[in-house]
Amino acid sequence: MKGYLGEFEELALLVISNLGTEAYGTSILELINAQTNRKISLGALHSTLTRLEEKGFLSSYLGEPTAKRGGRRKRYFEITQSAKEALHNMKSLRDELWANSNIQLG
Amino acid sequence: MKSPPKHAERFFKWASGQAYNEDLLGDLHEIFEDTLKHKGHFRARWEYWVEVLKLSFSYAIQKRKSDSSYSNYVSGQKFNTMIFNYIKISFRNIKKQKLFTFLNVFGLALGMSIGLLCLAMVSDLKRFDQFHDEADKIYRITTELTTSGDKDHFASSPPALADLIRNNTQGISQSVAINDYFFPTVESLGDPIRMHGYYTEPSFFKLFDFELQRGGFSTIENPRSIIITEKLAQKLFNTTDVIGKTLETQNHGDYEIGGVLAPFPKHTHFKFDLIANISLANDRTEIGATGWTEFGSNYFYFKSDLPKKEIQGVVSDLGKNGEAFFNLESSQAEYYVQGITEINPGPNYSDGLGVIFGYDGLLYFIGISLMILVPACFNYVNMAIANTLNRTKEIGIRKIIGSPNKFIIRQFLVETVIVCVISMLLSTLLFNYMKVEFTSMLIGAEALTFEITGEVLVMFLGFAIVTGLITGVVPAIYLSRIAPIAALSKRINENKVSISGFRKGLLVFQFVLSLSFMIGIGVVLRQYTHTTSYDPGFSKANKVIVPLQTQDIDLLANEMKAVNGIENISFSSNIPGLPLSRSNYFFSEDKADSIRTREIFISQDLVDQMDMKMIWGEQSLTDVQFEQVLINEKLLSLLNNIENDPRDSLIRILGDKQVQIVGIVADYNHEPLNQRIEPMVMRLDETKFNFAIVEITPSNPESTVAKMETVWNKLNPDSQFSPKYLETIVAQSYDFMFTAMKIFGFLALVSITISSLGLLGMVIYSTENRRKEVAIRKILGANAMTLFGNLSGMFLKLWLIALLIAMPGAYLFYDHLFVSIYNKFSGGVHFTEVLISSIITLSIGLSAILWQSNRIIRINPALNLRKE
C-alpha cells in the first residue's frame, strides 16, 4: 500500500515539518535523537528519507554551499501535500481509537 | 581544525560509485565536527567510520546508485547482473561440449586430488597442539650447536639450562622437563611389545591438556608409578580398569599403573604410550658438564606471559653459563625459544620429540602435488584453445555488440572457475578414498585426521577458484584478442590443421612427466629385487630365529644342539638384517670426541655361524679381565691409531666400561640396505640376548622345527615357541619399498591418465580438423595404413622429443637426487625401465590415435566433402 506510514517514517515527517526550512540530514538526525532519546545512524535516516521520497511524501532540493561541512551542499527536505494528508489521517484514526479506548495511566 | 579520516572518505566515495553523495558527505562532516567538539578526536574518527560503513550499505546509497546507473550519461558497471549472465552462458557451453568438459573435469579432478590432500594436511597441522589451554603462551627451548663450523639445530636443550631458567626467571608460570629416551618392553603372549614413554614431571599435566580417565595425576610423583594411555591399557589388558596393576617390563623393572589417560586429540606432536617420573632418567641429576653438553632427548617446555622476544633474551643470557662446558668440546651452543604451535609444520630439528612434519617434507609434497596439477591445467588450456573454433562466433557477436575485451576475458575465467569447482567436487570424492591409502603410506600420518571441516571445504573451494583463475588466464586472453570480423567470417583457424608450438610443448611436458614416473616405478622395483639378491655380508639361509624369554641359555643351547637336524645355535640381542636401535658411546684416547656406535650383544659363535668375515683377530669372545668386544671396519677406520701401534693394549672405553678389542669384523649390512653401515661394537653379555639363531640342515626343515618345539616346551612349558625364518624376516623389513612403489605407482597412474586425456583431446581436435584432408586423400587412393601414418606422424615426433628429455632427466633425478631420500643401492636407472615405460606411453598414444583416425577413415569421403 502506497500510503502506509511506519512509526519511524511518521516521526521523520513530523520532525521535518517541525524544522521548517532548516530540515536537512544532520538537523533531522539531531532532533530525532534529542527528542526520542534514540541513537539513529545517518544510514538508517537517509534510507527512510529515500523511501519517503519514493512514496511521494517528501521533496528535496539542494542548498547553496557553505563554509561549514567541508564546503558541501545540504539537501533540504520538505513534506508534500500527500504527506500532510497521510499524517492527518493517521492522527484522526488514532484520536478516534484513543477516544473509544479506556487506557488510563496509573 | 581536524578533518575526517581520509580513508573513510575515500571508501565512501568508492562505495557510492556513480551515485550523488555530496549532501551525505556534508552530513557526515557535520556530525564529525560535532562529535569532535564533545567527545574528542579518536571518538570522532571512530564514529565517522561507523557512520560511513552503515551509510555505504544503506538503502539510500543503493537506491541512488541504481538511479544513477539508469541515466543515459553514465555507464555503470553492474557486475552482479553480468556475473549471472556469465554463469548462465558458461553452463550452456559446458552442456554443449560434453566430451571436452568430461575430459577436462576428469583430468582436473585427478590433478587436484593430491593438492587437496596437501591442503587438508596443512590445515590439520595448523591445528596441532592448539587444544592446550593458552597454547600460544607455551614455548620450548631448542639448541643450535656449532661444532667446527658445522651447525646442527636440536629440538632438545640442556637440562642444566632448564634448571637455571626455572629457578632464575620471573614470569614463567608452568614448566616441565621431558626425557623421551624411555623404551620399555613388556612380554605379552610371547611377542615383546616395545613401548615409548616420556620421563617427565607431574606438571606435564598442568601445562598440557591431557585428561585422565582413571586414577590421579599425582601418582607419578612416586617414581615407580606410571600413567599409561587408554590405547596401551586396551592393548595390554583389554580393559582400562588397570589402576594398581603391575607392568612388568623386561628392561626397566616393574611399575605400578597409577592412572589411565583418556583418549586425547590426535592433533598433538606428543606421541607416547606411558609417562613415568623423570627422576628415573639417568642423567637428570648431574648438573655440571654433562648437564650441559649431553642434552640429547631432554626437552624443556614452559608457559609464560612474557613476549617471546623477552624470553629469548633471558634464555640467551642464561645459556652463557654453559659456554665453558661446550668450549671443552670445541663447540658453541645457541638457544632459541620456539612456540608449541610453531612445531608443526615447522623446521626439521635433529633429535625431535614426537611427530614432526618439517617444512622440507611439506615442500616436497607441495612440489609433487603441483607436478600433478600443472599438467591437468595444461590440458585445460590446450583444449580450450583448440576449441576456439566453436566459440569464435560467440566472441565475434559479443564484440560487435560492443563488449570490451575484459568482458570476454571474464566470461572465460568464470567458465574455467566453474569447471574447476565441479572438478574439485569430484576430486573430494577421490580424496576420501585416497586419504586412507595415504595415511598408511606416510610415517606419522596416523596423527593426521584429514577431516573435512567447514574451514577445509572453504580452502578447497578457494583452491579450485585460484586454480581456475590461473588456468583460465591464458585461453581467456587468447580468445579475447580474436578480431571480431575474422571471427564471424570464420577466417580464423581455417588453414590451421596443425597444432601450435606452444601446445606441442605442453604435450611434450606431460609425456616427460609420465615417462619419469614410470621409470621411477622401475627404479624402486629394481631396488627391491636387489635387496633379495644382494649379499649383506652374512648368510641368511637355513636360519631360524626364536625369540627368547627368560631362560637358561646354556641349557637351551645344549639341548638344542642335541636335536638331529640342528647344526648350530647362537644368541644375539638383535636380528641381523633388521634396524638396530641400541647405541652407545665409544671413547678412545686419540679422539677428543666420543664416537656414537651401534651396539649388539652376541654369543661366541655367532660370527662363525653367520659366515661373517673376520679381518683380524679371534672371532670367539671370552670374558677375561676386561669385557672383550669385536668392532667393525667402519669403527676401525674412525680409530686411526690402532694400525700404527701393534703393541696397543686395545683397551678402550665403551659407555662407562673398559673393553678390549679382540677382533675386527668385515663390514656387513646389519641393518636394511637403505641404512649406511654404521660403526658397530659387538659385545658378549648373556643377559642381553633376545633371540636364538638356530642353524638347521636344509633337508626337511619342518620336522626339525617341530623337534625344536618339543625341546622348547620341555624346557619352558609356560612360554610360547614362535620361530621365524631369517630370510622371511629380512624380506619383510623391506616392506617400506612397497610403500614407495605404491606412491610412484599412484603418481604414474595419475599423470599417465592426465596426459592420455590431454592427448585424446588433441587427437580428437586435430582429426576433426583434418576431415576434409582425409577425405581427399582417400579419394585420391590412399589406404588406411598411410592415412594412419599421416595422422600419427606429429604425435611420434613429440613423443620422441619427450623421450629425449625424460631419459637424462630421470637419470639425474633418480641417480642423484633420489639418493638423499632412499639410499641408492642398486644400479639406478636401467635400460629396461626406459624401454618398458616408452612402450607403455607409446601404445597409449597410438591407440588413442588409432581409435580416432579409424572413426574418420571409415566415414564415406563423399560425406565429408559434401558440406562445401
Side-chain angles (χ1 to χ4, degrees):
Chain A
M1 192 172 89
K2 201 193 170 202
Y4 173 76
L5 271 184
E7 185 264 349
F8 185 66
E9 290 179 325
E10 188 188 351
L11 185 68
L13 287 177
L14 286 171
V15 164
I16 290 167
S17 66
N18 267 281
L19 283 166
T21 54
E22 272 304 308
Y24 66 96
T26 318
S27 69
I28 301 169
L29 191 72
E30 274 172 3
L31 192 60
I32 292 179
N33 286 347
Q35 295 280 338
T36 65
N37 209 13
R38 288 199 230 178
K39 183 87 181 87
I40 306 289
S41 77
L42 199 59
L45 177 70
H46 272 287
S47 296
T48 309
L49 295 178
T50 312
R51 285 211 170 83
L52 285 170
E53 215 171 342
E54 270 179 82
K55 289 177 183 172
F57 290 137
L58 279 182
S59 63
S60 69
Y61 59 92
L62 288 172
E64 291 303 311
T66 52
K68 250 189 129 188
R69 11 187 312 139
R72 292 181 177 104
R73 290 187 284 183
K74 293 171 183 169
R75 181 183 291 273
Y76 289 106
F77 292 92
E78 271 180 342
I79 62 170
T80 59
Q81 186 58 32
S82 62
K84 286 175 191 164
E85 281 166 19
L87 284 171
H88 270 285
N89 284 344
M90 199 146 232
K91 186 170 183 314
S92 55
L93 174 70
R94 287 199 178 155
D95 285 345
E96 196 182 330
L97 289 171
W98 269 104
N100 292 335
S101 76
N102 52 357
I103 303 171
Q104 279 172 342
L105 277 181
Chain B
M1 192 72 202
K2 278 173 176 141
S3 55
K6 284 256 157 35
H7 292 294
E9 231 178 272
R10 208 169 297 151
F11 173 80
F12 182 62
K13 281 180 182 159
W14 171 80
S16 44
Q18 315 277 348
Y20 182 84
N21 60 8
E22 189 185 332
D23 54 329
L24 298 176
L25 273 170
D27 284 352
L28 283 168
H29 196 119
E30 210 169 314
I31 293 173
F32 175 77
E33 282 175 2
D34 198 45
T35 334
L36 191 65
K37 222 181 290 164
H38 294 110
K39 297 180 184 162
H41 186 227
F42 178 78
R43 188 67 201 220
R45 284 172 68 91
W46 165 249
E47 283 186 10
Y48 189 88
W49 260 111
V50 173
E51 291 287 356
V52 159
L53 287 177
K54 282 187 177 165
L55 202 52
S56 302
F57 295 104
S58 72
Y59 177 72
I61 283 292
Q62 299 306 324
K63 168 77 177 156
R64 287 185 188 202
K65 270 163 92 173
S66 70
D67 282 352
S68 67
S69 61
Y70 281 119
S71 144
N72 285 334
Y73 306 106
V74 192
S75 82
Q77 296 178 9
K78 302 217 277 169
F79 195 73
N80 285 351
T81 348
M82 277 311 278
I83 203 126
F84 283 114
N85 191 34
Y86 292 145
I87 292 173
K88 204 189 288 170
I89 292 183
S90 302
F91 273 111
R92 282 181 194 157
N93 273 317
I94 287 170
K95 257 201 232 157
K96 217 163 94 189
Q97 297 162 9
K98 287 198 184 77
L99 179 63
F100 278 102
T101 310
F102 171 75
L103 293 181
N104 276 329
V105 166
F106 192 60
L108 280 171
L110 277 177
M112 280 186 188
S113 54
I114 295 182
L116 294 189
L117 213 55
C118 204
L119 273 182
M121 184 166 154
V122 171
S123 128
D124 259 5
L125 290 181
K126 287 271 169 222
R127 278 185 284 158
F128 260 56
D129 287 305
Q130 295 282 9
F131 67 91
H132 304 299
D133 190 32
E134 296 183 287
D136 52 328
K137 288 180 186 162
I138 304 177
Y139 304 95
R140 71 172 180 186
I141 307 281
T142 64
T143 310
E144 189 182 68
L145 201 63
T146 314
T147 312
S148 55
D150 289 335
K151 276 192 179 163
D152 200 357
H153 206 135
F154 296 87
S156 44
S157 55
L161 176 67
D163 285 347
L164 279 179
I165 294 173
R166 203 176 281 198
N167 299 332
N168 299 336
T169 319
Q170 264 102 48
I172 287 180
S173 47
Q174 299 278 353
S175 65
V176 62
I178 299 172
N179 183 313
D180 80 332
Y181 199 75
F182 182 32
F183 298 95
T185 42
V186 290
E187 199 75 39
S188 166
L189 295 172
D191 280 327
I193 296 179
R194 194 174 141 100
M195 301 172 294
H196 185 199
Y198 291 165
Y199 291 119
T200 183
E201 300 158 299
S203 58
F204 183 81
F205 297 106
K206 288 191 187 121
L207 192 55
F208 306 119
D209 286 23
F210 294 107
E211 270 163 38
L212 268 186
Q213 198 166 356
R214 285 166 195 276
F217 286 133
S218 54
T219 47
I220 63 158
E221 275 161 23
N222 170 12
R224 292 313 309 178
S225 183
I226 52 167
I227 290 177
I228 66 174
T229 59
E230 188 252 5
K231 216 164 134 193
L232 184 69
Q234 288 290 359
K235 192 169 163 193
L236 295 178
F237 304 101
N238 283 325
T239 167
T240 56
D241 187 17
V242 292
I243 306 298
K245 287 200 183 179
T246 310
L247 195 67
E248 292 170 20
T249 69
Q250 291 181 322
N251 42 3
H252 286 86
D254 294 354
Y255 292 100
E256 190 190 320
I257 298 171
V260 178
L261 282 181
F264 47 86
K266 276 178 157 187
H267 294 123
T268 175
H269 75 291
F270 292 114
K271 192 168 186 278
F272 56 88
D273 301 314
L274 49 108
I275 299 264
N277 194 298
I278 198 158
S279 60
L280 298 174
N282 308 333
D283 44 7
R284 269 296 299 163
T285 44
E286 300 171 41
I287 301 299
T290 48
W292 282 99
T293 52
E294 290 188 10
F295 58 84
S297 301
N298 279 296
Y299 309 89
F300 182 61
Y301 289 74
F302 58 91
K303 188 187 273 185
S304 172
D305 288 324
L306 301 176
K308 191 176 166 186
K309 249 191 189 158
E310 209 168 303
I311 311 170
Q312 177 66 61
V314 172
V315 169
S316 296
D317 285 345
L318 288 174
K320 295 206 171 80
N321 290 311
E323 248 173 23
F325 301 112
F326 281 103
N327 284 342
L328 283 178
E329 305 203 342
S330 56
S331 56
Q332 287 91 42
E334 284 284 333
Y335 307 99
Y336 295 93
V337 177
Q338 187 187 28
I340 193 171
T341 53
E342 294 162 3
I343 295 174
N344 267 311
N348 233 340
Y349 293 150
S350 310
D351 198 16
L353 177 73
V355 184
I356 306 294
F357 288 94
Y359 285 134
D360 40 359
L362 217 52
L363 226 63
Y364 183 68
F365 192 31
I366 291 173
I368 287 197
S369 59
L370 283 183
M371 231 150 74
I372 297 293
L373 178 61
V374 167
C377 295
F378 280 178
N379 269 352
Y380 185 89
V381 173
N382 225 339
M383 284 193 227
I385 293 178
N387 221 359
T388 319
L389 208 59
N390 292 324
R391 305 295 297 272
T392 46
K393 211 182 252 177
E394 176 198 336
I395 297 165
I397 290 172
R398 272 169 180 260
K399 280 200 162 179
I400 282 168
I401 288 174
S403 142
N405 276 5
K406 64 180 175 189
F407 282 16
I408 292 167
I409 292 180
R410 276 185 211 155
Q411 170 70 55
F412 284 102
L413 284 183
V414 167
E415 230 170 282
T416 320
V417 167
I418 288 174
V419 169
C420 280
V421 170
I422 296 172
S423 319
M424 186 273 285
L425 295 178
L426 184 66
S427 192
T428 311
L429 296 179
L430 278 176
F431 164 87
N432 266 329
Y433 164 74
M434 271 171 45
K435 69 180 180 190
V436 182
E437 283 288 299
F438 187 71
T439 316
S440 66
M441 281 178 195
L442 200 75
I443 305 153
E446 61 271 11
L448 301 170
T449 53
F450 291 113
E451 243 178 326
I452 301 188
T453 57
E455 190 196 345
V456 174
L457 267 187
V458 170
M459 276 165 86
F460 282 7
L461 198 66
F463 176 63
I465 291 172
V466 169
T467 312
L469 290 179
I470 294 174
T471 313
V473 157
V474 178
I477 290 177
Y478 175 84
L479 290 171
S480 72
R481 287 209 178 134
I482 294 173
I485 300 296
L488 281 178
S489 65
K490 276 205 165 186
R491 252 189 290 153
I492 191 155
N493 265 4
E494 207 170 43
N495 301 317
K496 274 194 193 164
V497 281
S498 68
I499 295 168
S500 76
F502 174 63
R503 274 140 58 206
K504 279 181 191 162
L506 297 186
L507 214 56
V508 167
F509 174 76
Q510 291 175 341
F511 277 133
V512 170
L513 267 188
S514 314
L515 280 169
S516 328
F517 280 128
M518 278 202 276
I519 293 172
I521 305 178
V523 170
V524 180
L525 196 67
R526 178 176 300 279
Q527 296 258 67
Y528 183 72
T529 47
H530 181 72
T531 58
T532 47
S533 58
Y534 182 77
D535 175 19
F538 61 89
S539 110
K540 287 180 283 189
N542 303 320
K543 304 281 189 306
V544 177
I545 305 288
V546 185
L548 292 176
Q549 275 133 43
T550 44
Q551 53 238 131
D552 189 337
I553 283 165
D554 290 332
L555 183 65
L556 183 72
N558 286 332
E559 291 279 337
M560 283 287 185
K561 272 179 193 158
V563 174
N564 187 19
I566 291 183
E567 301 218 321
N568 208 343
I569 178 166
S570 64
F571 298 92
S572 167
S573 61
N574 295 72
I575 302 173
L578 294 196
L580 262 179
S581 55
R582 187 188 286 279
S583 59
N584 207 331
Y585 290 93
F586 198 87
F587 300 93
S588 190
E589 299 86 44
D590 58 312
K591 291 289 230 180
D593 279 340
S594 60
I595 301 166
R596 199 181 167 111
T597 67
R598 306 281 178 183
E599 162 183 79
I600 68 165
F601 297 91
I602 58 168
S603 66
Q604 295 189 9
D605 34 12
L606 181 99
V607 172
D608 198 25
Q609 191 198 352
M610 300 300 288
D611 296 333
M612 295 172 193
K613 285 180 194 64
M614 296 292 292
I615 301 282
W616 168 85
E618 316 267 330
Q619 62 243 52
S620 55
L621 310 174
T622 40
D623 208 343
V624 196
Q625 190 186 355
F626 300 107
E627 185 181 336
Q628 302 195 333
V629 296
L630 300 176
I631 63 171
N632 69 350
E633 277 179 284
K634 179 82 184 173
L635 182 54
L636 176 72
S637 67
L638 295 172
L639 304 171
N640 37 17
N641 69 338
I642 281 189
E643 287 166 288
N644 301 344
D645 186 4
R647 287 155 303 165
D648 188 350
S649 66
L650 297 176
I651 290 168
R652 299 288 183 276
I653 296 163
L654 181 67
D656 47 9
K657 217 175 158 193
Q658 280 190 309
V659 295
Q660 187 171 24
I661 300 169
V662 294
I664 294 156
V665 182
D667 278 343
Y668 72 98
N669 291 85
H670 187 97
E671 297 187 87
L673 296 181
N674 58 321
Q675 302 286 333
R676 277 172 240 284
I677 294 178
E678 300 281 344
M680 189 165 80
V681 175
M682 306 167 101
R683 300 171 64 174
L684 180 75
D685 185 344
E686 292 198 359
T687 60
K688 300 280 175 65
F689 295 155
N690 296 321
F691 301 98
I693 299 166
V694 185
E695 188 175 5
I696 55 175
T697 46
S699 62
N700 206 353
E702 281 82 12
S703 76
T704 314
V705 171
K707 279 180 222 156
M708 277 162 66
E709 185 162 11
T710 334
V711 175
W712 179 275
N713 287 340
K714 195 177 74 193
L715 291 175
N716 317 279
D718 306 328
S719 55
Q720 198 141 353
F721 177 69
S722 44
K724 276 188 186 127
Y725 286 100
L726 181 58
E727 278 178 310
T728 325
I729 294 176
V730 171
Q732 276 168 357
S733 71
Y734 292 101
D735 279 352
F736 72 95
M737 301 199 86
F738 280 118
T739 308
M741 262 193 295
K742 245 175 163 178
I743 293 174
F744 270 102
F746 178 74
L747 291 178
L749 189 71
V750 170
S751 81
I752 291 165
T753 315
I754 289 172
S755 56
S756 309
L757 290 177
L759 181 73
L760 191 62
M762 282 293 87
V763 169
I764 291 173
Y765 163 77
S766 67
T767 44
E768 281 299 313
N769 274 351
R770 295 170 81 168
R771 266 168 186 266
K772 219 193 282 176
E773 178 196 333
V774 170
I776 293 171
R777 279 176 192 270
K778 231 179 148 181
I779 287 169
L780 291 177
N783 62 16
M785 213 37 226
T786 42
L787 283 175
F788 179 65
N790 242 313
L791 288 168
S792 55
M794 186 265 307
F795 162 74
L796 280 177
K797 238 186 281 165
L798 293 185
W799 176 81
L800 262 178
I801 297 170
L803 196 61
L804 283 180
I805 299 171
M807 272 195 299
Y811 174 76
L812 275 179
F813 179 72
Y814 295 109
D815 278 19
H816 296 276
L817 211 69
F818 206 54
V819 187
S820 59
I821 304 157
Y822 295 105
N823 270 354
K824 179 184 71 171
F825 41 78
S826 66
V829 178
H830 270 237
F831 180 67
T832 341
E833 285 103 60
V834 178
L835 189 73
I836 291 172
S837 47
S838 316
I839 290 173
I840 292 176
T841 44
L842 190 64
S843 52
I844 289 175
L846 285 180
S847 51
I849 291 173
L850 197 66
W851 173 35
Q852 283 302 314
S853 49
N854 228 350
R855 201 170 54 92
I856 282 202
I857 292 167
R858 280 217 201 125
I859 301 172
N860 182 355
L863 286 176
N864 278 339
L865 287 175
R866 204 171 50 180
K867 278 182 195 161
E868 294 295 306

